[in-house]
Amino acid sequence: SELVVSFGEMLIDFVPTVAGVSLAEAPAFVKAPGGAPANVAIAVARLGGGAAFVGKLGDDEFGRMLAAILRDNGVDDGGVVFDAGARTALAFVTLRADGEREFMFYRNPSADMLLTHAELNVELIKRAAVFHYGSISLIAEPCRSAHLRAMEIAKEAGALLSYDPNLREALWPSREEARTKILSIWDQADIVKVSEVELEFLTGIDSVEDDVVMKLWRPTMKLLLVTLGDQGCKYYARDFRGAVPSYKVQQVDTTGAGDAFVGALLRRIVQDPSSLQDQKKLEEAIKFANACGAITATKKGAIPSLPTEVEVLKLMEMLEAWKYCDAVMLL
Ligand code: ATP
């Protein structure tokens, strides 16, 4: 199977209608559906791949809206359950003028945190070629146990496990708890992707040198990736390592770029799992993922920015041709 099953939270971000304001200053907000694992599932589906999402939503207008977004984008929502008593999670998010992101979460508790292991769609999870997850679902019970159980089911059924911790410090009781719990499932994953910020958070060292990244390497891993924004990413596999620069684009909003990158990479890996052992194939897959992340960074929001395969291939072709130009304006 080429199915990517993504597990975790789906929620609504409320983002200010104007850029560069604090949450308090924002005059109004618009709904922006998101949640990293849901974004990854939609990224895979948008690229033409099989994708499913497993998680819990509130049995409310917002929860039903989110499930419809999954279906409309071709994501199998057979793993979605609804909680009658809790609301769909909300997050107010702004990019302030000083470049810092400010978050305010409404999770007290939200439906996603209440998923139980008994509610898991075991048959769906067993069909996964890749089972992908983050760390937000590890924060609170009963979702934490459901998450651990789902990983076990997927692994036993032969899926590759893919982990993007997607650190949201504000959701954890403490930095130490976040670090410990994020690392508690580190050894199970076949594929791990971290950002520069997460690398520093987890190692305590502000550097992307190989010896620092290797602190996060485990012999059980098949691939470790560090994404570097417009610089592309570094990759570490058992027998080789390297870096792949991204494509030069006009950056508008990077929200979802990391999820687009992960979705695209997983899509390529399920299409040809030997990419994990073949450096040339892996670099091709990463180039494709970089292009997918780059396109997502040129548009506002996460889900509306996720490209189709044709769009990604077009960008790659166009920018390969313009390689020797310093700045390329998109569109
Ligand atoms: P997020 O910002 O979604 O939480 P992240 O920090 O993991 O995720 P980034 O490193 O910002 O993600 O981006 C992921 C990938 O997308 C990068 O490795 C790169 O390939 C591509 N990308 C992101 N921003 C740009 C950009 N401005 N120009 C070109 N490529 C980009």
Side-chain angles (χ1 to χ4, degrees):
S1 110
E2 293 186 355
L3 182 67
V4 175
V5 176
S6 195
F7 175 95
E9 71 285 359
M10 183 173 197
L11 56 104
I12 303 180
D13 282 341
F14 282 82
V15 296
T17 47
V18 295
V21 293
S22 69
L23 288 177
E25 289 161 352
F29 295 88
V30 293
K31 290 183 290 184
N39 292 344
V40 169
I42 293 174
V44 171
R46 191 72 54 83
L47 293 169
F53 177 74
V54 176
K56 197 170 202 183
L57 300 169
D59 190 11
D60 51 36
E61 286 303 311
F62 287 159
R64 285 186 288 271
M65 179 192 102
L66 293 177
I69 288 172
L70 290 172
R71 288 191 301 273
D72 291 348
N73 282 286
V75 175
D76 182 340
D77 68 343
V80 173
V81 291
F82 293 91
D83 193 286
R87 292 291 192 210
T88 301
L90 308 182
F92 288 78
V93 189
T94 189
L95 189 63
R96 296 190 319 214
D98 62 8
E100 285 299 305
R101 240 192 244 181
E102 200 181 350
F103 289 97
M104 196 159 70
F105 295 98
Y106 282 70
R107 289 160 51 91
N108 42 351
S110 48
D112 57 297
M113 300 160 74
L114 300 177
L115 181 73
T116 68
H117 66 87
E119 291 170 325
L120 293 173
N121 184 336
V122 174
E123 290 317 306
L124 177 67
I125 295 170
K126 282 185 175 168
R127 281 170 38 215
V130 169
F131 183 72
H132 174 79
Y133 46 87
S135 73
I136 289 170
S137 41
L138 290 176
I139 298 174
E141 291 291 358
C143 184
R144 176 180 167 76
S145 295
H147 179 149
L148 299 175
R149 182 71 197 119
M151 281 172 59
E152 256 173 42
I153 293 167
K155 188 141 220 171
E156 272 170 30
L160 289 170
L161 300 194
S162 161
Y163 186 21
D164 173 358
N166 225 298
L167 174 68
R168 291 286 176 268
E169 267 188 67
L171 293 181
W172 291 91
S174 70
R175 285 169 65 87
E176 199 36 55
E177 173 105 359
R179 196 174 293 114
T180 308
K181 289 253 172 79
I182 286 172
L183 290 174
S184 70
I185 57 166
W186 208 254
D187 297 3
Q188 271 95 298
D190 299 288
I191 301 163
V192 176
K193 174 249 167 204
V194 293
S195 66
E196 271 180 279
V197 172
E198 287 155 355
L199 177 65
E200 182 186 357
F201 180 83
L202 294 170
T203 61
I205 306 167
D206 182 12
S207 153
V208 293
E209 293 298 315
D210 288 350
D211 57 327
V212 176
V213 180
M214 286 307 283
K215 290 182 190 296
L216 296 181
W217 175 260
R218 300 290 183 274
T220 45
M221 279 180 190
K222 296 191 168 67
L223 180 61
L224 172 61
L225 297 143
V226 183
T227 54
L228 307 168
D230 63 2
Q231 298 299 299
C233 78
K234 297 181 84 171
Y235 66 88
Y236 302 78
R238 211 164 289 171
D239 301 321
F240 47 83
R241 62 174 66 161
V244 183
S246 191
Y247 294 88
K248 202 159 206 156
V249 295
Q250 193 80 2
Q251 180 178 312
V252 173
D253 173 8
T254 62
T255 308
D259 304 327
F261 174 92
V262 171
L265 187 76
L266 296 182
R267 174 71 193 131
R268 281 295 188 247
I269 287 173
V270 295
Q271 283 181 298
D272 185 358
S274 74
S275 309
L276 288 168
Q277 284 99 44
D278 180 323
Q279 186 163 18
K280 211 167 159 268
K281 282 185 184 177
L282 183 65
E283 288 212 356
E284 279 305 314
I286 292 173
K287 265 194 193 175
F288 179 74
N290 280 341
C292 199
I295 289 178
T296 305
T298 63
K299 294 178 197 156
K300 266 177 86 169
I303 292 173
S305 318
L306 297 169
T308 62
E309 180 159 40
V310 169
E311 288 175 283
V312 183
L313 296 179
K314 257 197 198 153
L315 176 94
M316 291 173 74
E317 198 184 327
M318 184 173 98
L319 294 190
E320 293 290 345
W322 283 73
K323 212 178 334 204
Y324 304 105
C325 257
D326 212 37
V328 174
M329 297 297 188
L330 259 193
L331 307 174

